[in-house]
Amino acid sequence: MAGWMAGRGWQAFPFQAEVWQAVAEGRSGMLHATTGSGKTYAVWLGMLDALLRRHPPGRGAEPLRVIWLTPMRALASDTAKALAAPLRDLAPTWTIGLRTGDTPSAERARQDRRMPTVLVTTPESLTLMLTREHARAELEGVEYVVIDEWHELIGSKRGVQAQLAVARLRGFHPGLVTWGLSATLGNLEQAMEVLCGPDPVPAPKLVRGKIDKTLVIDTLIPPDPGKYSWAGHLGARMQMPVVEEIERSGTTLVFTNVRSQAEIWYQLLLEARPEWAGHIALHHGSLDKATREWVEQGLKEGTLRAVVATSSLDLGVDFLPVERVLQVGSAKGVARMMQRAGRSGHAPGRPSRVTLVPTNTMEIIEAAAARWAAQAGRVEKRDPPAKPLDVLVQHIVSVALGGGFTADALYREVSGAWSYRGLTRAEFDWAIAFCERGGESLGAYPEYHRIVRDDAGVYRVKDTGVARRHRLGVGTIVSDATVQVKYLSGGKLGTMEEGFIARLKPGDHFFFAGRLLEFVRVRDMAAYVRKATRHKGTVPTWMGSKMALSTELSDAVLEMMQAAAHGEFAGPELQAARPMLETQQRLSKIPTPHTLLVEAFTSREGHHLYVYPFAGRNVHLGLASLIAWRLARERPNTFSISIDDYGFELVSAEPFDPEPVTSQRVFSADNLMQDVLDSLNSSELAQRRFREIARVAGLISTGYPGQPKSTRQLQASSALFFEVFRKYDAGNLLLSQAENEVLSQELEISRLGGTLRSMREKKVEFVELRHPSPMSLPLMVARFREKLSTEQLSQRLDRILRDMEADVGRGEREAEPR
């Protein structure tokens, strides 16, 4: 392998040779190395060398030996090209194939007749292969499985789906060798355990690739950030600085966190430089596949000056011409920032550079914190879900389709997947019974008798309708129903969530796919539009706009705040944020890792309480609801709530005593889970979560090709199941799963409990405000936005800022020496 690389003028890095040695010893493992450092060839060349020793070429095409799993279809194509290069020279008769949702039916048919030697696929497509009647015969020759971008999968149900599929393959071939690739992950040892299964022999190998790869993280400092800031405050003011950075650079990727923000920034760039039309592009998951492929090709060829993108371009697609990355707004996590940085300089020896573009003053501080955390190696962990029963139910039906199973054998196999290591036999038997009879409440409906046990104790799927519906529903990615967006003339633009389209009236204008469109009508699950002439529009709102600040980044922000509290403003970011931080210090206090800031304020609206745990918006939602509920339990009152990543606001018309907060009495973690459920509309939250679980478990279907079901139909179906189970099947484990997922994922109950313990350990700094502080103003603005028009909000803010500036000015004059 070293000779093949030398023939191309390449020299193997030590970590690549280390992986080759581990593979030669038959060991599974995990490779963690910088993006663009050569991870693919580190694993692939080692496997290829071992395969060539066992199966010398020259006797024709080799059967399927390697499955390479990727989390994205776009990544699959690039990966296949990279894997094919050494095959052409070293094993020209061996073949490589792609199998994803985009694979044409003709190619699938060819693969069905004879599988390639190497198959690049996704977790969903691999699971579909397991549903084939002769799955064992087709897959038992697989000797290696590689899971690329393992950090992207491990923390999700897609990762659990991959675990179950690998456990199945390990049952077909007990000597299966499994490797994972990752660039940004904090819990590497655990990630390797999840990947390699229980007690592997020989012991797995964790390889940390170290190469001299320069990572440059800097910040585009806004001109005059000011003393006060709120969400989006500086956004439009960064338009020209971003344009100028693009002009000074080669091909640039401009990342945003959500699709609506990507649409806004694409318009801002075109507004500033109309002549860039055709030379800049937009890329996100709602756009038509042909459009996305055109953009990706333009990036590879270097014909585009800039592309505004979301996480759709986060992963390891190789765009060599990209010289730098701009991140608009906070990336909200250290790993995400580093992953995006790696899209530039995507080759060994080339530096990667990410420039952070703050849209408010707190994001300037976050930028400094993110750089500090990255340099200190404080990267987020990703914990795999614990025994999601909806995924297990889906897997049981898949395996029943794929040749059948006996209960004892499948229990042993499933228990070998890390997420199900704690699965009890009673829970497993419940899942079998649910697939067999539909539980206690669905026994009268034959369509929910999905598996049948024969006289030999083997479970199979007998009904062809059940088989077809199941194969169409394989997967764990659940999103709102979407509709096609089309021109009246028939051209496709992409897809949008049905909920947004449902709010539009004929004649409404909105931006989508970089164009200003006029909505005309909906027909047959398609939204028909025409090009608009008026230069104003609504920006579509998609899922994902509430990305929460990670624990690692929030801790780093507090470290920055502590330095400011001590009068230290090192670096350009803290210097830029200094006016706001000094104003915060003058009017109130600056939060630190060891103090909990609590502010009180009285206005015409009522009585405000601000608390700043710095635990991220998901935790703050549960925390604010919990504290409000506990305060109202002591003394009846009604609270309005506002949250952001740094804290939360409680507002009531009636006065209330802040003493339970300042004394930390309401921060108790006792009876936490029940109090959180009582403080929220937990039934509504669980019902919404159950909709996803019902879809994964196969209770509801999104419809057949050409006959998709609407969001309303899916909601009605899942709500009906939810109520039926609650009334007639209270022991249904999918109901308790929905409740657990609300607590663990939406409210991050473990992080909430840890936050409460941390709050009790900190010294409370209580400040009664005369005017809103720079920290409290963003929470106030977030609440205003829900009930005020843009014009009314602007007027309200102008008045508040004038009063605050006057008060700060008086304080500065009083502080001057006489």
Side-chain angles (χ1 to χ4, degrees), residues 168-315:
R168 187 75 177 151
L169 294 175
R170 198 173 285 124
F172 294 165
H173 188 114
L176 185 75
V177 172
T178 311
W179 277 79
L181 309 182
S182 175
T184 50
L185 194 57
N187 51 331
L188 293 175
E189 296 281 357
Q190 183 189 34
M192 185 173 68
E193 290 178 21
V194 175
L195 185 75
C196 297
D199 305 317
V201 178
K205 176 77 170 179
L206 175 59
V207 178
R208 291 179 170 89
K210 295 182 179 180
I211 62 171
D212 294 327
K213 174 88 170 171
T214 303
L215 173 61
V216 178
I217 304 170
D218 55 15
T219 307
L220 193 56
I221 302 294
D224 188 22
K227 299 175 182 177
Y228 305 97
S229 186
W230 51 89
H233 169 230
L234 303 173
R237 289 166 56 183
M238 300 303 291
Q239 177 190 31
M240 290 313 300
V242 167
V243 168
E244 290 163 3
E245 289 298 312
I246 294 172
E247 287 177 329
R248 285 195 288 265
S249 306
T251 302
T252 302
L253 271 176
V254 181
F255 276 111
T256 67
N257 288 342
V258 292
R259 300 171 193 177
S260 55
Q261 196 179 25
E263 293 275 353
I264 290 170
W265 272 92
Y266 179 72
Q267 293 297 327
L268 285 172
L269 297 183
L270 277 182
E271 178 186 283
R273 294 290 185 270
E275 66 274 16
W276 285 0
H279 300 285
I280 64 172
L282 180 65
H283 192 288
H284 57 66
S286 287
L287 297 179
D288 184 65
K289 176 175 174 282
T291 300
R292 284 182 276 124
E293 289 178 344
W294 176 82
V295 175
E296 291 162 15
Q297 192 61 34
L299 278 173
K300 291 174 185 176
E301 295 173 353
T303 57
L304 292 171
R305 178 186 287 270
V307 173
V308 184
T310 60
S311 56
S312 59
L313 290 181
D314 266 8
L315 299 184

Side-chain angles (χ1 to χ4, degrees), residues 331-400:
K332 297 299 179 185
V334 181
R336 186 178 299 107
M337 179 195 67
M338 295 175 68
Q339 181 73 27
R340 292 178 172 181
R343 298 303 98 223
S344 65
H346 199 276
R350 289 177 56 188
S352 293
R353 181 183 178 188
V354 59
T355 299
L356 307 174
V357 183
T359 62
N360 62 64
T361 308
M362 282 302 297
E363 286 183 350
I364 301 176
I365 302 170
E366 279 187 48
R371 182 174 60 245
W372 177 80
Q375 292 170 346
R378 296 192 179 186
V379 180
E380 291 82 8
K381 299 178 180 179
R382 289 173 174 85
D383 296 316
K387 57 182 177 186
L389 294 176
D390 54 344
V391 184
L392 176 60
V393 165
Q394 185 183 110
H395 184 68
I396 287 170
V397 180
S398 294
V399 174

